[in-house]
Amino acid sequence: MRNQEVVSSHIQPGGVDAEQSAREVLAVALDKAGATMDELNAVVATGYGRISIPFATRQVTEITCNARGVHHCYPDAELIIDVGGQDTKVIRLDGRGRVANFAMNDKCAAGTGRYLEVIAATLGVGIGELGDLALRAKGKVNISSMCTVFAQTEVVSLIARRTGTEDIAAGVHEAIARRVRGLAASMRIRGKTVLTGGVAKNIGFVRALEAEMGSSLVIPDDPQILTALGAALMVLSPS
Amino acid sequence: MEREAILGFMEDLARDPSAYLAERAKNHDVRMIGCLPMYVPEELIHAAGFLPVAVMEGREPISLANSQLMTHSCGFTRGSYDSALTGALSYLDGVVNPLLCDQLRFFSDIWFETNRFRHTFYLHLPYKLDPNAAGFLLRELGSFQSGLESAAGREMLPGDLRESIRLFNRDRAAMRRVYALRRERPGLIRARDAVNLVASSMLMPREEHVALVLGLVKELEQLSSPPHVNADGVRVVLAGHPCAMPDAEVLDLVEEAGCVVVDDDFYFGGAAIRDVLDEEMPPIEALVGRYMRRTICPTKDDPSVFAPLGSASYRSNQAEHLIHLARESRAEGVIYLREIYCDPFDFEYPFLRERMDEVGLPFLPIGTEHEIGTLEPVRTRVQAFVEMVRQRT
């Protein structure tokens, strides 16, 4: 970023080596921006690997950064629902880009992107196709297993009974939407809600969550970049 | 003994008391009664001539216990049972079960069936803390006393219980002094040191423990600066985690991630040391009085806290107590360890949470269980909490 404007960005899957992944993704972003490492005034690390980045000048949790980034793009946002690959978070904002309260689900894969990855693989589709598949559902299927592993077993038996994959996909999205909705309810607020995280790119999930919550959700153009954006703003615009 | 040596001894003892206790039982001819949590009147056991010893959750992964207990039994029941099955509690002459909750009530049959101790005591501590129950508790403690006397092979002398109460009062007072020093100068000891301090009091003779604590107090008073200070830290009170020791690694992480622990209300902590028993009144009545008036716990029904329908936010006496502690110690927030599979604490939690939100006291729940797993999510939560509180100031 420069002067609170995004110059370039890049997203790639993180590997097991946080520092290596960070170096790679930064190198690509710098290349896109036509800039070099020494032109950077600050590097803020956020997320699970943040304490392992030696070239970061600061480390801030993704909760605080997500709040900042969302507020920058949507100043009247009141609630953030962040559904990532391995955890889900909800954040209540105070109207000034600061965290008023938050809750996390990181004890269990159900309700996260991991759940959808497992099911997509079981249904034989790519993770990017799962949402569209769900939108073509004709019937209703209820996936009752709380656990990702057992949900997979449930899906396998549904397939064996010749249940349509579209209906299964819809049922799976409803199941994850119920989990996420439950976590969001703990923030006890109804208001403009922004959905972030990779799972926000799944149209099937978005529809299921909107139906579950009875209201429409704001989906950013790039729901995976807002936390990094917020991280940069932590140093560019501290207050 | 130096401060580091005292704290080191207490840490080793609290982490694994079995070797120390087995040796004392064998070589010193000390008879020990294991106390399942919580609220067993240790003074009475001491007066009968036994050493009351807390039964601990243990730190080993559960193996044998899973064959008989559901995996969703709480960490304490599974862990302590696993210890018993491996013979790690063989130094105990007997065990007392205060039938605290459904887990302990029904698990006791399994426990006592597979672990034959010479003496087993069931203590029916009243669930409802109102005057009608006081008479019942008096009789119950009388029965417990008879049982202990029978096990000891001798009757208690008049004055024995009063002496025991005096001793325990002295030990608690010494520990309160350490806690007060920490409140005044946070960083004097670590959060884990405070927990070890109290846990060790329940794992060794109080006569010896109080001497160690007084030695520690003297050293702490002379320290020119706290060894573990964090000037920017968020001042917090720790609470929750009933019945068992909170993980030292979690406590360390709370401090590492930017908090300064100024007080705690753990069972192995502040909750165990705050009571001063009246040494003049009939001793058994002093024990009854403590239980009836000072037990702040979701496992008990305290009619004085029950609020009219519609003001559900007051149905947690823990909440009022924690708010009070936070004020007294000028804490900026409360970090609450929620032990997974603990039903009584789970059912009170929504009211506790609501009351905290109502008074605007920053409150962070952290789920804990016997199996620690990875601590990164805990670090993220604590750090986000620190960032949240700091952004307000």
Side-chain angles (χ1 to χ4, degrees):
Chain A
M1 284 187 87
R2 186 183 292 126
N3 300 326
Q4 300 203 35
E5 289 296 315
V6 177
V7 177
S8 73
S9 67
H10 183 61
I11 299 170
Q12 70 178 52
V16 289
D17 187 333
E19 186 187 338
Q20 180 61 23
S21 304
R23 286 194 189 281
E24 282 170 16
V25 74
L26 183 56
V28 176
L30 282 167
D31 194 49
K32 285 189 195 175
T36 56
M37 193 73 170
D38 29 279
E39 290 175 70
L40 292 173
N41 295 113
V43 176
V44 181
T46 185
Y48 278 122
R50 68 188 179 282
I51 57 171
S52 315
I53 313 301
F55 53 88
T57 46
R58 206 172 149 191
Q59 53 111 346
V60 182
T61 67
E62 59 269 39
I63 287 109
T64 303
C65 292
N66 200 353
R68 201 63 217 286
V70 166
H71 177 76
H72 180 79
C73 301
Y74 307 98
D76 52 346
E78 292 173 76
L79 179 68
I80 302 170
I81 299 176
D82 179 77
V83 186
Q86 62 186 37
D87 64 23
T88 300
K89 310 177 194 65
V90 292
I91 303 165
R92 196 167 86 207
L93 299 169
D94 72 346
R96 291 157 69 176
R98 302 180 307 192
V99 177
N101 202 357
F102 69 94
M104 297 168 68
N105 160 37
D106 47 23
K107 284 272 179 191
C108 175
T112 72
R114 182 62 44 82
Y115 177 86
L116 294 176
E117 280 170 12
V118 168
I119 302 302
T122 312
L123 292 174
V125 301
I127 188 68
E129 304 159 51
L130 192 62
D132 290 320
L133 185 65
L135 291 183
R136 298 200 294 272
K138 299 176 208 77
K140 213 160 163 39
V141 166
N142 184 32
I143 307 292
S144 58
S145 299
M146 294 283 273
C147 165
T148 300
V149 174
F150 293 127
Q152 182 182 28
T153 309
E154 204 174 337
V155 165
V156 168
S157 8
L158 286 168
I159 293 171
R161 295 209 296 268
R162 303 272 187 265
T163 308
T165 51
E166 308 89 348
D167 293 357
I168 295 173
V172 159
H173 287 99
E174 276 168 29
I176 184 179
R178 277 196 301 271
R179 293 297 295 251
V180 170
R181 195 266 171 109
L183 189 67
S186 69
M187 293 294 100
R188 281 181 286 153
I189 189 172
R190 287 204 156 277
K192 184 161 178 177
T193 302
V194 179
L195 189 61
T196 65
V199 182
K201 289 154 78 167
N202 178 323
I203 186 69
F205 170 71
V206 171
R207 292 281 173 265
L209 186 58
E210 286 179 332
E212 187 66 37
M213 293 184 71
S215 55
S216 61
L217 301 166
V218 174
I219 315 294
D221 290 332
D222 195 343
Q224 288 177 295
I225 208 72
L226 285 158
T227 298
L229 174 67
L233 287 169
M234 294 299 296
V235 290
L236 282 171
S237 169
S239 60
Chain B
M1 221 180 170
E2 278 184 39
R3 175 178 55 94
E4 304 265 340
I6 296 172
L7 292 176
F9 169 76
M10 290 175 168
E11 163 125 0
D12 290 340
L13 180 59
R15 235 173 149 78
D16 184 6
S18 52
Y20 169 88
L21 289 171
E23 196 263 338
R24 290 206 79 125
K26 201 170 71 155
N27 297 339
H28 302 255
D29 207 22
V30 174
R31 295 175 68 191
M32 302 176 184
I33 302 287
C35 303
L36 296 180
M38 297 189 277
Y39 315 123
V40 173
E42 292 175 77
E43 293 93 338
L44 195 52
I45 297 172
H46 181 269
F50 295 96
L51 175 64
V53 158
V55 175
M56 309 296 273
E57 176 174 348
R59 305 176 52 80
E60 297 301 309
I62 313 288
S63 55
L64 294 171
N66 281 338
S67 68
Q68 303 213 285
L69 291 178
M70 303 162 292
T71 49
H72 57 270
S73 298
C74 71
F76 174 77
T77 51
R78 282 183 294 127
S80 61
Y81 187 52
D82 210 63
S83 297
L85 289 173
T86 60
L89 299 181
S90 56
Y91 50 80
L92 293 176
D93 209 36
V95 170
V96 51
N97 186 335
L99 305 169
L100 183 74
C101 61
D102 280 355
Q103 305 257 8
L104 281 181
R105 250 192 288 279
F106 302 117
F107 143 81
S108 66
D109 290 342
I110 298 172
W111 171 290
F112 290 129
E113 188 54 35
T114 41
N115 298 291
R116 301 302 177 96
F117 296 97
R118 291 236 314 264
H119 308 286
T120 57
F121 305 95
Y122 291 95
L123 197 51
H124 293 83
L125 297 178
Y127 161 70
K128 204 156 190 223
L129 304 181
D130 76 19
N132 296 322
F136 170 81
L137 180 56
L138 195 61
R139 288 191 297 282
E140 188 65 14
L141 290 183
S143 301
F144 184 37
Q145 179 175 335
S146 304
L148 288 167
E149 287 169 333
S150 165
R154 62 169 178 83
E155 281 189 10
M156 263 189 242
L157 300 172
D160 278 349
L161 184 54
R162 184 166 273 126
E163 271 315 300
S164 297
I165 287 174
R166 279 211 183 99
L167 169 64
F168 278 63
N169 269 349
R170 269 194 7 250
D171 194 32
R172 283 188 289 261
M175 288 188 277
R176 279 199 305 276
R177 182 75 190 121
V178 175
Y179 267 61
L181 287 169
R182 174 175 68 168
R183 265 195 298 281
E184 288 159 33
R185 305 168 76 198
L188 213 52
I189 54 170
R190 296 165 304 171
R192 64 151 77 193
D193 295 324
V195 166
N196 291 333
L197 169 79
V198 180
S200 59
S201 77
M202 303 187 205
L203 295 167
M204 64 186 289
R206 296 266 176 170
E207 298 85 345
E208 294 169 31
H209 186 263
V210 66
L212 285 180
V213 181
L214 290 174
L216 180 66
V217 165
K218 213 159 143 201
E219 296 235 359
L220 291 177
E221 282 169 342
Q222 284 163 6
L223 272 179
S224 54
S225 61
H228 312 284
V229 77
N230 176 357
D232 298 318
V234 169
R235 296 170 65 95
V236 294
V237 169
L238 300 183
H241 212 288
C243 298
M245 293 262 298
D247 293 306
E249 290 84 354
V250 172
L251 300 180
D252 289 348
L253 188 49
V254 166
E255 289 173 319
E256 258 173 56
C259 291
V260 168
V261 178
V262 293
D263 206 351
D264 74 63
D265 195 49
F266 295 130
Y267 174 64
F268 285 108
I273 65 176
R274 63 171 182 252
D275 295 320
V276 182
L277 267 65
D278 188 328
E279 292 170 13
E280 303 310 313
M281 68 189 293
I284 207 118
E285 286 176 31
L287 298 181
V288 170
R290 169 178 61 190
Y291 182 82
M292 299 304 293
R293 285 191 298 273
R294 304 277 292 158
T295 307
I296 299 173
C297 185
T299 61
K300 311 301 169 193
D301 186 5
D302 183 349
S304 70
V305 175
F306 188 78
L309 278 173
S311 63
S313 46
Y314 299 96
R315 255 183 227 145
S316 164
N317 47 4
Q318 273 186 100
E320 301 311 316
H321 179 63
L322 292 179
I323 291 165
H324 169 77
L325 283 186
R327 282 202 185 115
E328 289 282 295
S329 58
R330 294 178 297 116
E332 298 170 83
V334 172
I335 294 185
Y336 192 81
L337 303 188
R338 298 187 64 189
E339 182 67 6
I340 288 173
Y341 311 129
C342 175
D343 287 354
F345 275 66
D346 269 352
F347 289 130
E348 185 174 307
Y349 179 77
F351 302 114
L352 171 63
R353 182 81 228 221
E354 199 180 323
R355 185 65 179 137
M356 293 293 156
D357 285 348
E358 226 171 64
V359 302
L361 183 58
F363 181 86
L364 176 72
I366 296 178
T368 62
E369 55 185 314
H370 183 86
E371 297 78 9
I372 301 181
T374 169
L375 288 176
E376 281 315 301
V378 176
R379 186 197 304 275
T380 299
R381 275 174 169 76
V382 177
Q383 192 180 343
F385 178 75
V386 167
E387 290 163 3
M388 186 179 84
V389 171
R390 278 289 159 266
Q391 285 200 304
R392 289 184 188 202
T393 55

